[in-house]
Amino acid sequence: MAAAAASGRRAKAPRGAAGRRRPRPAVPNAQGRPRAAAGRPADEEVSSDSETESLSLGRRRREAAAAEEEVEETPQEKKLRLAKQYLEELRQLEEERAEEEEEETQPADLIGDRLKEDVLEQKGRLQRLVAKDVQPPDPASIRVLRGHQLPVTCLVISPDDKFIFSASKDGSLIKWEVDSGKRLCVVPGGKKGTEERHMGHASHILCMAISSDGKYLATGDRNKLIMIWDTATCKRLHIFTGHRDAVSGLSFRKGTHQLYSASHDRCVKVWNVAENAYVETLFGHQDVITGLDSLSRECCVTAGGRDGTVRLWKIPEETQLVFSGHQGSIDCIQLINEEHMVSGADDGSLALWGLTKKKPLALARQAHGMQDAQGLEQPYWISAVAALRNSDLLATGSHSASVKLWKCGEGFRKLEHLWDIPLVGFVNSLKFSSSGDFLVAGIGQEHRLGRWWRIKEAKNSICIIPLKQRTTASGPESPGSS
């Protein structure tokens, strides 16, 4: 450096990110026009590379200016702005609902009630008391939709309650319109080994799930495959492979496109459907997993068949909580809210669980009664359970010629039988609509997981059961406690 200074030369800065020379800004002359750079004619053509550089420089300046504007909003101001926006959306929603129902309730009260519900729902303690107002359905009002050749194994209802998707042991997938009962789309099943050429499944479909925005449908089959579908067009978008045995449970995390899958290979896998990506695998069950469910938290619950356990999987921590209380194989499970769930087993028992207790909060033994099978008295298996989210209303299915409705006591510590809905056949799937206006049952001549019995008089179909409410206003919401 001293030698350079002595010779009158300026020392060169090291080349690199910090040592690049900045372009000199053009200095305007007396006429206000930018002066041409020294050594370059004023009318010299500028290459496309130079134009690209100047454009990118301008774009960076605009982005920097936009970033400075964003910085001007403090975190507190942003929270306040988002809160006001959320309250305005709630106010509009509740006013529209009040107009439809012609209620003379102040919007402010509606917003306050809605905010209380949101807080309770996030804490997993919301329990809308609707079961006491449900009237026994008229058997003549039950609609039967037929389209599958073999037993219906699973079904889902779209978030807007307008469509039903059902699947069967014949590998077929059908989209139904709820109001008309019409088949809008049918994807037939194919022969084994033709999945690449054939659009649909080539083996028994055992489970399905729909994303909370209604965009994606996922189906899982005995051939270890998970297929992702566009719900609007019924076009197959992707096939996930990785399970080593039948895929028996699927659920989308609420508000996301994260998909959880469970299999007879005893593991749970996590997928990102939007990016067609596999995420991770979780192990723990000692027997085949028969069912899976999730809500908005980054966790899921599973039924472990003959290992006799229900498990809560905390995905980020890669940990699990183990619950036990059934004596037989646990065949079905569903979350009621973020803190409570219901499960059914082939010992005939129905169990209510709180996620903070390892034993059931309530247990109904022989929930569907006893049967005489080949000279032996044994309970009717519980083959399907359903819960109206964040409420006290449950439904269970078996092959006892009826679907049963149940009421959860306060704090989910009691199970009270309400009504029987006559349905002949194996009830392999049950789902409540989001509004609670109807219940859908998937019926088959056989159990979804096997062929232990066959009920010949049953029809392979889906049944839409209307649920009428009494005209009296429903009771206040009660926070459940575990």
PDB file of all heavy atoms in Angstrom, residues 273-298:
ATOM      1  N   VAL A 273     -49.083 -32.311  -0.562  1.00  0.00           N
ATOM      2  CA  VAL A 273     -49.795 -32.564  -1.814  1.00  0.00           C
ATOM      3  C   VAL A 273     -49.575 -31.446  -2.826  1.00  0.00           C
ATOM      4  O   VAL A 273     -49.448 -31.695  -4.028  1.00  0.00           O
ATOM      5  CB  VAL A 273     -51.303 -32.755  -1.531  1.00  0.00           C
ATOM      6  CG1 VAL A 273     -52.111 -32.790  -2.811  1.00  0.00           C
ATOM      7  CG2 VAL A 273     -51.517 -34.051  -0.743  1.00  0.00           C
ATOM      8  N   ALA A 274     -49.507 -30.196  -2.365  1.00  0.00           N
ATOM      9  CA  ALA A 274     -49.333 -29.068  -3.289  1.00  0.00           C
ATOM     10  C   ALA A 274     -48.032 -29.176  -4.068  1.00  0.00           C
ATOM     11  O   ALA A 274     -47.940 -28.742  -5.219  1.00  0.00           O
ATOM     12  CB  ALA A 274     -49.385 -27.753  -2.519  1.00  0.00           C
ATOM     13  N   GLU A 275     -47.000 -29.775  -3.436  1.00  0.00           N
ATOM     14  CA  GLU A 275     -45.698 -29.910  -4.095  1.00  0.00           C
ATOM     15  C   GLU A 275     -45.395 -31.349  -4.518  1.00  0.00           C
ATOM     16  O   GLU A 275     -44.276 -31.650  -4.938  1.00  0.00           O
ATOM     17  CB  GLU A 275     -44.597 -29.400  -3.163  1.00  0.00           C
ATOM     18  CG  GLU A 275     -44.742 -27.920  -2.811  1.00  0.00           C
ATOM     19  CD  GLU A 275     -43.659 -27.439  -1.872  1.00  0.00           C
ATOM     20  OE1 GLU A 275     -42.728 -28.234  -1.586  1.00  0.00           O
ATOM     21  OE2 GLU A 275     -43.730 -26.290  -1.420  1.00  0.00           O
ATOM     22  N   ASN A 276     -46.396 -32.241  -4.381  1.00  0.00           N
ATOM     23  CA  ASN A 276     -46.212 -33.656  -4.730  1.00  0.00           C
ATOM     24  C   ASN A 276     -44.977 -34.249  -4.053  1.00  0.00           C
ATOM     25  O   ASN A 276     -44.167 -34.942  -4.672  1.00  0.00           O
ATOM     26  CB  ASN A 276     -46.099 -33.831  -6.256  1.00  0.00           C
ATOM     27  CG  ASN A 276     -47.398 -33.529  -6.964  1.00  0.00           C
ATOM     28  OD1 ASN A 276     -48.467 -33.576  -6.362  1.00  0.00           O
ATOM     29  ND2 ASN A 276     -47.314 -33.182  -8.234  1.00  0.00           N
ATOM     30  N   ALA A 277     -44.833 -33.954  -2.763  1.00  0.00           N
ATOM     31  CA  ALA A 277     -43.601 -34.322  -2.056  1.00  0.00           C
ATOM     32  C   ALA A 277     -43.886 -35.197  -0.840  1.00  0.00           C
ATOM     33  O   ALA A 277     -44.883 -35.009  -0.132  1.00  0.00           O
ATOM     34  CB  ALA A 277     -42.847 -33.069  -1.614  1.00  0.00           C
ATOM     35  N   TYR A 278     -42.982 -36.170  -0.626  1.00  0.00           N
ATOM     36  CA  TYR A 278     -42.972 -36.957   0.611  1.00  0.00           C
ATOM     37  C   TYR A 278     -42.204 -36.172   1.676  1.00  0.00           C
ATOM     38  O   TYR A 278     -41.199 -35.527   1.381  1.00  0.00           O
ATOM     39  CB  TYR A 278     -42.287 -38.303   0.350  1.00  0.00           C
ATOM     40  CG  TYR A 278     -41.762 -39.000   1.591  1.00  0.00           C
ATOM     41  CD1 TYR A 278     -42.606 -39.701   2.437  1.00  0.00           C
ATOM     42  CD2 TYR A 278     -40.408 -38.934   1.909  1.00  0.00           C
ATOM     43  CE1 TYR A 278     -42.126 -40.333   3.566  1.00  0.00           C
ATOM     44  CE2 TYR A 278     -39.917 -39.556   3.047  1.00  0.00           C
ATOM     45  CZ  TYR A 278     -40.780 -40.256   3.873  1.00  0.00           C
ATOM     46  OH  TYR A 278     -40.293 -40.862   5.000  1.00  0.00           O
ATOM     47  N   VAL A 279     -42.696 -36.208   2.929  1.00  0.00           N
ATOM     48  CA  VAL A 279     -42.064 -35.437   4.000  1.00  0.00           C
ATOM     49  C   VAL A 279     -41.347 -36.342   4.996  1.00  0.00           C
ATOM     50  O   VAL A 279     -40.135 -36.248   5.178  1.00  0.00           O
ATOM     51  CB  VAL A 279     -43.094 -34.536   4.725  1.00  0.00           C
ATOM     52  CG1 VAL A 279     -42.419 -33.742   5.835  1.00  0.00           C
ATOM     53  CG2 VAL A 279     -43.767 -33.586   3.730  1.00  0.00           C
ATOM     54  N   GLU A 280     -42.093 -37.246   5.664  1.00  0.00           N
ATOM     55  CA  GLU A 280     -41.455 -38.102   6.661  1.00  0.00           C
ATOM     56  C   GLU A 280     -42.337 -39.297   6.999  1.00  0.00           C
ATOM     57  O   GLU A 280     -43.508 -39.357   6.625  1.00  0.00           O
ATOM     58  CB  GLU A 280     -41.124 -37.314   7.934  1.00  0.00           C
ATOM     59  CG  GLU A 280     -42.344 -36.758   8.662  1.00  0.00           C
ATOM     60  CD  GLU A 280     -41.959 -35.993   9.911  1.00  0.00           C
ATOM     61  OE1 GLU A 280     -41.096 -36.495  10.671  1.00  0.00           O
ATOM     62  OE2 GLU A 280     -42.513 -34.907  10.152  1.00  0.00           O
ATOM     63  N   THR A 281     -41.749 -40.244   7.753  1.00  0.00           N
ATOM     64  CA  THR A 281     -42.445 -41.456   8.201  1.00  0.00           C
ATOM     65  C   THR A 281     -42.317 -41.578   9.708  1.00  0.00           C
ATOM     66  O   THR A 281     -41.247 -41.328  10.273  1.00  0.00           O
ATOM     67  CB  THR A 281     -41.855 -42.709   7.529  1.00  0.00           C
ATOM     68  OG1 THR A 281     -41.953 -42.583   6.116  1.00  0.00           O
ATOM     69  CG2 THR A 281     -42.598 -43.961   7.969  1.00  0.00           C
ATOM     70  N   LEU A 282     -43.413 -41.974  10.369  1.00  0.00           N
ATOM     71  CA  LEU A 282     -43.433 -42.152  11.820  1.00  0.00           C
ATOM     72  C   LEU A 282     -43.803 -43.594  12.144  1.00  0.00           C
ATOM     73  O   LEU A 282     -44.693 -44.170  11.523  1.00  0.00           O
ATOM     74  CB  LEU A 282     -44.446 -41.197  12.463  1.00  0.00           C
ATOM     75  CG  LEU A 282     -44.253 -39.706  12.140  1.00  0.00           C
ATOM     76  CD1 LEU A 282     -45.425 -38.891  12.643  1.00  0.00           C
ATOM     77  CD2 LEU A 282     -42.961 -39.194  12.754  1.00  0.00           C
ATOM     78  N   PHE A 283     -43.102 -44.167  13.134  1.00  0.00           N
ATOM     79  CA  PHE A 283     -43.322 -45.564  13.514  1.00  0.00           C
ATOM     80  C   PHE A 283     -43.749 -45.642  14.978  1.00  0.00           C
ATOM     81  O   PHE A 283     -43.409 -44.781  15.779  1.00  0.00           O
ATOM     82  CB  PHE A 283     -42.038 -46.389  13.328  1.00  0.00           C
ATOM     83  CG  PHE A 283     -41.512 -46.399  11.917  1.00  0.00           C
ATOM     84  CD1 PHE A 283     -40.622 -45.440  11.480  1.00  0.00           C
ATOM     85  CD2 PHE A 283     -41.924 -47.371  11.022  1.00  0.00           C
ATOM     86  CE1 PHE A 283     -40.149 -45.440  10.178  1.00  0.00           C
ATOM     87  CE2 PHE A 283     -41.449 -47.394   9.720  1.00  0.00           C
ATOM     88  CZ  PHE A 283     -40.558 -46.416   9.300  1.00  0.00           C
ATOM     89  N   GLY A 284     -44.496 -46.707  15.315  1.00  0.00           N
ATOM     90  CA  GLY A 284     -44.871 -46.900  16.713  1.00  0.00           C
ATOM     91  C   GLY A 284     -45.895 -48.000  16.942  1.00  0.00           C
ATOM     92  O   GLY A 284     -45.796 -48.739  17.915  1.00  0.00           O
ATOM     93  N   HIS A 285     -46.882 -48.131  16.056  1.00  0.00           N
ATOM     94  CA  HIS A 285     -47.918 -49.155  16.265  1.00  0.00           C
ATOM     95  C   HIS A 285     -47.333 -50.558  16.109  1.00  0.00           C
ATOM     96  O   HIS A 285     -46.413 -50.785  15.318  1.00  0.00           O
ATOM     97  CB  HIS A 285     -49.064 -48.967  15.268  1.00  0.00           C
ATOM     98  CG  HIS A 285     -50.095 -47.963  15.714  1.00  0.00           C
ATOM     99  ND1 HIS A 285     -50.918 -48.183  16.799  1.00  0.00           N
ATOM    100  CD2 HIS A 285     -50.421 -46.739  15.229  1.00  0.00           C
ATOM    101  CE1 HIS A 285     -51.728 -47.142  16.948  1.00  0.00           C
ATOM    102  NE2 HIS A 285     -51.431 -46.249  16.004  1.00  0.00           N
ATOM    103  N   GLN A 286     -47.902 -51.503  16.858  1.00  0.00           N
ATOM    104  CA  GLN A 286     -47.455 -52.891  16.834  1.00  0.00           C
ATOM    105  C   GLN A 286     -48.337 -53.782  15.972  1.00  0.00           C
ATOM    106  O   GLN A 286     -48.074 -54.970  15.829  1.00  0.00           O
ATOM    107  CB  GLN A 286     -47.423 -53.446  18.274  1.00  0.00           C
ATOM    108  CG  GLN A 286     -46.581 -52.622  19.230  1.00  0.00           C
ATOM    109  CD  GLN A 286     -45.139 -52.496  18.774  1.00  0.00           C
ATOM    110  OE1 GLN A 286     -44.502 -53.514  18.484  1.00  0.00           O
ATOM    111  NE2 GLN A 286     -44.624 -51.275  18.694  1.00  0.00           N
ATOM    112  N   ASP A 287     -49.394 -53.210  15.406  1.00  0.00           N
ATOM    113  CA  ASP A 287     -50.274 -53.977  14.515  1.00  0.00           C
ATOM    114  C   ASP A 287     -50.756 -53.029  13.411  1.00  0.00           C
ATOM    115  O   ASP A 287     -50.422 -51.837  13.411  1.00  0.00           O
ATOM    116  CB  ASP A 287     -51.458 -54.553  15.298  1.00  0.00           C
ATOM    117  CG  ASP A 287     -52.220 -55.615  14.505  1.00  0.00           C
ATOM    118  OD1 ASP A 287     -51.563 -56.477  13.888  1.00  0.00           O
ATOM    119  OD2 ASP A 287     -53.466 -55.564  14.481  1.00  0.00           O
ATOM    120  N   VAL A 288     -51.536 -53.559  12.486  1.00  0.00           N
ATOM    121  CA  VAL A 288     -52.000 -52.736  11.365  1.00  0.00           C
ATOM    122  C   VAL A 288     -52.780 -51.530  11.886  1.00  0.00           C
ATOM    123  O   VAL A 288     -53.520 -51.618  12.865  1.00  0.00           O
ATOM    124  CB  VAL A 288     -52.873 -53.560  10.396  1.00  0.00           C
ATOM    125  CG1 VAL A 288     -52.086 -54.730   9.831  1.00  0.00           C
ATOM    126  CG2 VAL A 288     -54.146 -54.049  11.068  1.00  0.00           C
ATOM    127  N   ILE A 289     -52.599 -50.381  11.222  1.00  0.00           N
ATOM    128  CA  ILE A 289     -53.374 -49.189  11.554  1.00  0.00           C
ATOM    129  C   ILE A 289     -54.655 -49.232  10.731  1.00  0.00           C
ATOM    130  O   ILE A 289     -54.630 -49.444   9.522  1.00  0.00           O
ATOM    131  CB  ILE A 289     -52.572 -47.907  11.255  1.00  0.00           C
ATOM    132  CG1 ILE A 289     -51.246 -47.915  12.016  1.00  0.00           C
ATOM    133  CG2 ILE A 289     -53.388 -46.670  11.629  1.00  0.00           C
ATOM    134  CD1 ILE A 289     -50.347 -46.729  11.707  1.00  0.00           C
ATOM    135  N   THR A 290     -55.795 -49.046  11.400  1.00  0.00           N
ATOM    136  CA  THR A 290     -57.090 -49.205  10.729  1.00  0.00           C
ATOM    137  C   THR A 290     -57.802 -47.884  10.460  1.00  0.00           C
ATOM    138  O   THR A 290     -58.767 -47.858   9.698  1.00  0.00           O
ATOM    139  CB  THR A 290     -58.008 -50.092  11.581  1.00  0.00           C
ATOM    140  OG1 THR A 290     -58.089 -49.531  12.901  1.00  0.00           O
ATOM    141  CG2 THR A 290     -57.467 -51.509  11.668  1.00  0.00           C
ATOM    142  N   GLY A 291     -57.358 -46.797  11.085  1.00  0.00           N
ATOM    143  CA  GLY A 291     -58.028 -45.518  10.880  1.00  0.00           C
ATOM    144  C   GLY A 291     -57.155 -44.360  11.312  1.00  0.00           C
ATOM    145  O   GLY A 291     -56.218 -44.534  12.110  1.00  0.00           O
ATOM    146  N   LEU A 292     -57.452 -43.163  10.768  1.00  0.00           N
ATOM    147  CA  LEU A 292     -56.646 -41.977  11.052  1.00  0.00           C
ATOM    148  C   LEU A 292     -57.526 -40.742  10.910  1.00  0.00           C
ATOM    149  O   LEU A 292     -58.436 -40.702  10.079  1.00  0.00           O
ATOM    150  CB  LEU A 292     -55.464 -41.916  10.079  1.00  0.00           C
ATOM    151  CG  LEU A 292     -54.512 -40.713  10.129  1.00  0.00           C
ATOM    152  CD1 LEU A 292     -53.086 -41.157   9.786  1.00  0.00           C
ATOM    153  CD2 LEU A 292     -54.935 -39.619   9.158  1.00  0.00           C
ATOM    154  N   ASP A 293     -57.239 -39.697  11.711  1.00  0.00           N
ATOM    155  CA  ASP A 293     -57.965 -38.435  11.596  1.00  0.00           C
ATOM    156  C   ASP A 293     -57.078 -37.294  12.073  1.00  0.00           C
ATOM    157  O   ASP A 293     -56.114 -37.515  12.822  1.00  0.00           O
ATOM    158  CB  ASP A 293     -59.270 -38.470  12.400  1.00  0.00           C
ATOM    159  CG  ASP A 293     -60.228 -37.357  12.011  1.00  0.00           C
ATOM    160  OD1 ASP A 293     -60.119 -36.854  10.873  1.00  0.00           O
ATOM    161  OD2 ASP A 293     -61.081 -36.985  12.836  1.00  0.00           O
ATOM    162  N   SER A 294     -57.400 -36.068  11.629  1.00  0.00           N
ATOM    163  CA  SER A 294     -56.646 -34.888  12.058  1.00  0.00           C
ATOM    164  C   SER A 294     -57.542 -33.668  11.939  1.00  0.00           C
ATOM    165  O   SER A 294     -58.554 -33.678  11.247  1.00  0.00           O
ATOM    166  CB  SER A 294     -55.388 -34.701  11.202  1.00  0.00           C
ATOM    167  OG  SER A 294     -55.738 -34.379   9.867  1.00  0.00           O
ATOM    168  N   LEU A 295     -57.122 -32.576  12.617  1.00  0.00           N
ATOM    169  CA  LEU A 295     -57.788 -31.282  12.478  1.00  0.00           C
ATOM    170  C   LEU A 295     -56.726 -30.244  12.125  1.00  0.00           C
ATOM    171  O   LEU A 295     -55.853 -30.520  11.320  1.00  0.00           O
ATOM    172  CB  LEU A 295     -58.564 -30.939  13.757  1.00  0.00           C
ATOM    173  CG  LEU A 295     -59.902 -31.683  13.932  1.00  0.00           C
ATOM    174  CD1 LEU A 295     -60.550 -31.350  15.259  1.00  0.00           C
ATOM    175  CD2 LEU A 295     -60.859 -31.326  12.797  1.00  0.00           C
ATOM    176  N   SER A 296     -56.764 -29.056  12.744  1.00  0.00           N
ATOM    177  CA  SER A 296     -55.874 -27.982  12.299  1.00  0.00           C
ATOM    178  C   SER A 296     -54.503 -28.013  12.961  1.00  0.00           C
ATOM    179  O   SER A 296     -53.563 -27.408  12.451  1.00  0.00           O
ATOM    180  CB  SER A 296     -56.535 -26.622  12.542  1.00  0.00           C
ATOM    181  OG  SER A 296     -56.903 -26.483  13.892  1.00  0.00           O
ATOM    182  N   ARG A 297     -54.356 -28.662  14.094  1.00  0.00           N
ATOM    183  CA  ARG A 297     -53.039 -28.771  14.723  1.00  0.00           C
ATOM    184  C   ARG A 297     -52.146 -29.716  13.917  1.00  0.00           C
ATOM    185  O   ARG A 297     -52.638 -30.572  13.187  1.00  0.00           O
ATOM    186  CB  ARG A 297     -53.164 -29.277  16.161  1.00  0.00           C
ATOM    187  CG  ARG A 297     -53.841 -28.288  17.099  1.00  0.00           C
ATOM    188  CD  ARG A 297     -53.923 -28.852  18.504  1.00  0.00           C
ATOM    189  NE  ARG A 297     -54.658 -27.958  19.393  1.00  0.00           N
ATOM    190  CZ  ARG A 297     -55.013 -28.261  20.642  1.00  0.00           C
ATOM    191  NH1 ARG A 297     -54.686 -29.453  21.142  1.00  0.00           N
ATOM    192  NH2 ARG A 297     -55.680 -27.395  21.381  1.00  0.00           N
ATOM    193  N   GLU A 298     -50.832 -29.546  14.087  1.00  0.00           N
ATOM    194  CA  GLU A 298     -49.892 -30.381  13.338  1.00  0.00           C
ATOM    195  C   GLU A 298     -49.719 -31.718  14.061  1.00  0.00           C
ATOM    196  O   GLU A 298     -48.653 -32.046  14.576  1.00  0.00           O
ATOM    197  CB  GLU A 298     -48.557 -29.665  13.158  1.00  0.00           C
ATOM    198  CG  GLU A 298     -47.738 -30.236  12.007  1.00  0.00           C
ATOM    199  CD  GLU A 298     -46.548 -29.397  11.626  1.00  0.00           C
ATOM    200  OE1 GLU A 298     -46.369 -28.321  12.217  1.00  0.00           O
ATOM    201  OE2 GLU A 298     -45.793 -29.828  10.736  1.00  0.00           O
TER     202      GLU A 298
END
